[in-house]
Amino acid sequence: MVHVKEALSRSTVVITGAGSGIGLATAELVARRGARVVLTDRSAEVVRPHAERIAELTGSEAEYRALDVTDGAAVEEVMGSVGTIDHLFTCASGSVIAPFEELTEAEVRRFFEVKWWGQYRCLRAALPHLRRETGSVTLVSGYLYRKTDPGYFAFGAVNGAVEAAVKSLAVELAPLRVNAIAPGPTDTHAHLMSPEQHRAYRAEIAERLPVGRPGTAEEVAHAAAFLMENAFTTGTTLDVDGGKR
């Protein structure tokens, strides 16, 4: 039996949406644990320096691929280029926030195209290359399904679909393990805010969560790595949400 601390050593981990935030933090963490990591993102210019930095920092293999998860042919090509895959983490996403009555069908479809169909395409394309006996897939849901807030209808709908899929796929694709993480409010967008906006965001989240602050990308990455490493966990959506209720 492989010790949990060594489970990622010499494994190959493919991560979508690895150009920033949770995907990037997870790439660095698994590389520190000895994995060969393949970072993918829509822009090669964005993801290349991250792969180079991680390789230099950790001594592990860190590669990159440009990947638009809405392009089925590109997804097939990228997954096929990696070789055997031990773990897949589908972190590419988007955002659409508005009251239901103001959302257009086109906006909701665009969001589904990335967060639902993007994860679907990546799993389907990776499946022939995944180690079925020992490998894993970690999808991304989010607290905005079972613990939703107004204005987040599209998030709730996609996340509900992801969590339902996890339960079904864990049975159908066994022994391949299939799980999801459901992050809560995570402080990954400071670069898009002014200092005043960022302080206000942190204060507002602090009032809403028992832990008194938003999460970090590194904390969610820790949960993603757990789901890759723990060979007795499948069919589970792991809440990493600071106690959001």
Side-chain angles (χ1 to χ4, degrees):
M1 179 180 294
V2 177
H3 195 281
V4 169
K5 289 185 178 179
E6 301 173 348
L8 290 176
S9 180
R10 296 179 296 280
S11 66
T12 295
V13 180
V14 177
I15 302 176
T16 69
S20 63
I22 293 166
L24 177 57
T26 305
E28 182 170 328
L29 177 60
V30 299
R32 287 183 181 278
R33 296 185 183 183
R36 168 200 175 208
V37 62
V38 181
L39 297 83
T40 77
D41 195 80
R42 185 185 295 266
S43 168
E45 287 69 28
V46 168
V47 78
R48 179 191 298 115
H50 293 309
E52 293 172 349
R53 178 184 60 81
I54 288 171
E56 183 177 357
L57 184 67
T58 67
S60 294
E61 292 182 67
E63 305 169 21
Y64 69 91
R65 308 282 195 280
L67 177 61
D68 178 352
V69 299
T70 68
D71 183 339
V75 172
E76 292 277 354
E77 181 179 353
V78 165
M79 295 302 169
S81 75
V82 174
T84 300
I85 300 170
D86 293 282
H87 306 286
L88 172 67
F89 182 35
T90 55
C91 205
S93 187
S95 182
V96 57
I97 305 168
F100 176 76
E101 292 179 297
E102 297 177 13
L103 278 174
T104 66
E105 180 177 332
E107 289 172 323
V108 176
R109 284 183 177 275
R110 279 195 297 271
F111 185 62
F112 265 77
E113 191 64 29
V114 176
K115 189 166 185 185
W116 167 251
W117 289 111
Q119 296 194 86
Y120 168 90
R121 289 186 192 97
C122 290
L123 173 53
R124 282 293 298 265
L127 202 53
H129 312 287
L130 277 159
R131 290 191 198 275
R132 298 290 283 263
E133 295 294 327
T134 58
S136 77
V137 174
T138 303
L139 305 179
V140 176
S141 173
Y143 79 99
L144 292 164
Y145 161 52
R146 286 168 285 114
K147 308 166 187 179
T148 194
D149 289 327
Y152 289 91
F153 158 78
F155 276 92
V158 173
N159 293 345
V162 169
E163 295 188 20
V166 161
K167 292 182 179 295
S168 176
L169 292 172
V171 174
E172 186 170 339
L173 300 181
L176 180 70
R177 294 182 299 106
V178 183
N179 296 291
I181 55 170
T186 307
D187 192 359
T188 57
H189 297 100
H191 61 291
L192 300 177
M193 306 178 191
S194 69
E196 294 76 17
Q197 289 172 326
H198 188 227
R199 283 193 293 271
Y201 163 77
R202 291 188 61 86
E204 190 258 332
I205 296 300
E207 292 181 357
R208 294 166 50 194
L209 297 184
V211 297
R213 61 173 177 83
T216 67
E218 290 74 19
E219 287 166 331
V220 182
H222 184 271
F226 163 79
L227 291 175
M228 295 177 202
E229 292 175 326
N230 192 295
F232 200 57
T233 303
T234 193
T236 294
T237 296
L238 179 59
D239 290 336
V240 192
D241 60 9
K244 166 72 176 174
R245 295 293 180 268

